[in-house]
Amino acid sequence: MNFSNGKQIFFSFFIACIVGTFSLPAKALEYDFGNFSFKLNGYGTAGILEPEFETTDFIGDWRVRGQMNYSLNLTHTLGAVYAIDAAAVDENKFFREAFGFWEEKNLGRLEFGFTDSIARKLGVGLPDVGGLRVNDKPLFYKKIRPEGPVISDTIITTGRSALRMNIASVSKNGLQYGLSVAGITDDYKYAIDTGIKIRQPDGKIKTAFSFGASFMDEPDGYRTDSYTPLVTADWRAQVSGGMNLQYNSWVWGVSARLIYDEKPVGAVSDGLAVGTGLSYDILNYSISLTYIFSDTGIWNRDIKDYMDHTAIASFRYKYSENIDGWLSLGMTTETPFLAVGMRLVF
């Protein structure tokens, strides 16, 4: 076994152990002090991944999120959120989210700070029961480097490193919408995102639809996807859409994201990502099938575009409310892999 990063192994197991300890008394993670309330949640995952079923590598994933609320009255709430996870640490950041918010229960919510855009928050991802973080910077690409640039995420992202303001409505009759404005960063001049989600959570068939759009002015050496080159262009535009359909214990989803860069300089990093997934739950067992296709460089005829196909079959056994084990068998364009691990949630 090739455990090349002992520090990462120890830290991920340490986080998993803390999560496991906290997960025993679930109520201990929520506190109320009159008008003040505090909530802490997260997860820790520890496992192994075998590319081509030969070399065994450790994989670790974790997230911790704290939220504090202060109720001004029956309808108005002030709050703050801080979160950190493995994906942020991989990029040498000290937070995943750090923002304050004001909420009016009949109108909506205003957020200000460092967080995802509204297009991402209202996006619909792909069904997946494994522990490889398929919908957010997949873990398997940390061990299986693709031969070319891959757009692995089918939901719009403009990053979390710029100061951002999100405005989101409350959900009325299943409809929720919002707007984001971001700036004060060296990565681009400004970014504007919008998102819409339509949900029908009642009835035998439950549905969720989402649509997002984004415009970024003058990205300069900026990367929003871990597996694409830095983008420098006049502007970047993105659109995305998704659907989840649930019937009893079956969930089927499709999602797609399209990226266009105007007059890019250097390596090309725009294109499209399209995915679909199916999952099924029975008692403490869950299974899922996920497929994602990425095509980078489709707008530039001077270079050959790079296509990546990823298919993953996953199985999960839920031992308790806080502990589950998972196994995934997958295939990227060039490399088959096997991954197995345990997740502790609180």
Side-chain angles (χ1 to χ4, degrees):
M1 298 177 70
N2 179 24
F3 295 117
S4 58
N5 193 334
K7 183 177 179 181
Q8 180 189 21
I9 296 171
F10 174 79
F11 188 61
S12 296
F13 270 116
F14 177 70
I15 291 293
C17 291
I18 290 177
V19 172
T21 301
F22 278 144
S23 68
L24 297 177
K27 294 293 184 181
L29 298 178
E30 298 184 23
Y31 300 93
D32 292 311
F33 309 95
N35 290 348
F36 281 96
S37 64
F38 176 77
K39 183 177 181 180
L40 183 71
N41 57 19
Y43 67 85
T45 295
I48 59 173
L49 185 143
E50 288 191 352
E52 298 183 335
F53 314 115
E54 294 178 353
T55 303
T56 302
D57 288 313
F58 174 81
I59 54 173
D61 187 30
W62 54 272
R63 178 177 299 171
V64 178
R65 185 181 190 272
Q67 178 170 324
M68 183 182 67
N69 292 354
Y70 177 71
S71 297
L72 297 172
N73 50 47
L74 294 177
T75 59
H76 295 266
T77 302
L78 297 176
V81 172
Y82 177 82
I84 188 168
D85 62 5
V89 173
D90 284 345
E91 298 175 357
N92 296 317
K93 298 176 182 176
F94 296 101
F95 60 85
R96 175 186 173 88
E97 292 186 303
F99 66 93
F101 67 86
W102 167 75
E103 196 168 70
E104 208 284 336
K105 73 173 187 178
N106 298 312
L107 295 177
R109 177 166 166 145
L110 172 68
E111 300 175 343
F112 187 77
F114 301 94
T115 185
D116 287 309
S117 76
I118 202 67
R120 183 166 185 82
K121 291 190 175 188
L122 295 182
V124 173
L126 301 175
D128 175 70
V129 304
L132 294 174
R133 210 168 60 200
V134 167
N135 289 300
D136 184 15
K137 299 180 180 178
L139 285 172
F140 49 85
Y141 278 127
K142 292 178 66 176
K143 303 298 180 180
I144 307 171
R145 288 294 175 183
E147 296 295 326
V150 172
I151 303 168
S152 61
D153 199 329
T154 58
I155 307 174
I156 282 179
T157 177
T158 48
R160 297 181 292 268
S161 299
L163 197 61
R164 182 184 303 278
M165 181 178 69
N166 286 339
I167 302 174
S169 72
V170 297
S171 180
K172 291 186 177 181
N173 299 319
L175 173 64
Q176 188 175 15
Y177 53 89
L179 177 72
S180 290
V181 179
I184 311 181
T185 174
D186 295 331
D187 297 321
Y188 50 81
K189 280 192 174 181
Y190 65 86
I192 300 175
D193 295 40
T194 184
I196 298 173
K197 179 181 282 187
I198 304 171
R199 297 176 64 246
Q200 178 49 262
D202 302 316
K204 196 168 186 179
I205 298 178
K206 302 174 177 61
T207 58
F209 300 89
S210 71
F211 173 80
S214 170
F215 176 83
M216 180 184 292
D217 190 44
E218 295 188 18
D220 184 9
Y222 188 52
R223 176 163 52 206
T224 55
D225 294 86
S226 297
Y227 318 108
T228 56
L230 300 177
V231 55
T232 297
D234 285 1
W235 49 264
R236 162 170 282 199
Q238 302 181 73
V239 293
S240 70
M243 179 199 74
N244 272 188
L245 186 152
Q246 180 179 351
Y247 176 76
N248 292 331
S249 296
W250 291 94
V251 178
W252 173 56
V254 293
S255 185
R257 175 182 172 204
L258 188 68
I259 306 171
Y260 175 77
D261 293 333
E262 176 68 12
K263 298 180 180 178
V265 177
V268 175
S269 61
D270 58 3
L272 64 87
V274 181
T276 186
L278 181 70
S279 68
Y280 179 71
D281 293 325
I282 179 171
L283 300 176
N284 292 344
Y285 302 91
S286 301
I287 58 172
S288 68
L289 298 172
T290 305
Y291 170 75
I292 300 176
F293 169 71
S294 168
D295 194 348
T296 310
I298 59 176
W299 312 113
N300 194 322
R301 298 305 177 188
D302 296 330
I303 63 170
K304 181 177 176 58
D305 54 339
Y306 178 75
M307 292 180 285
D308 182 82
H309 303 266
T310 299
I312 303 173
S314 296
F315 168 82
R316 182 182 66 183
Y317 172 68
K318 192 172 184 179
Y319 177 77
S320 70
E321 183 180 356
N322 306 104
I323 303 173
D324 62 68
W326 55 268
L327 181 149
S328 294
L329 182 65
M331 177 77 187
T332 66
T333 297
E334 302 291 340
T335 308
F337 65 88
L338 172 71
V340 61
M342 181 180 69
R343 184 177 64 168
L344 306 174
V345 181
F346 71 97

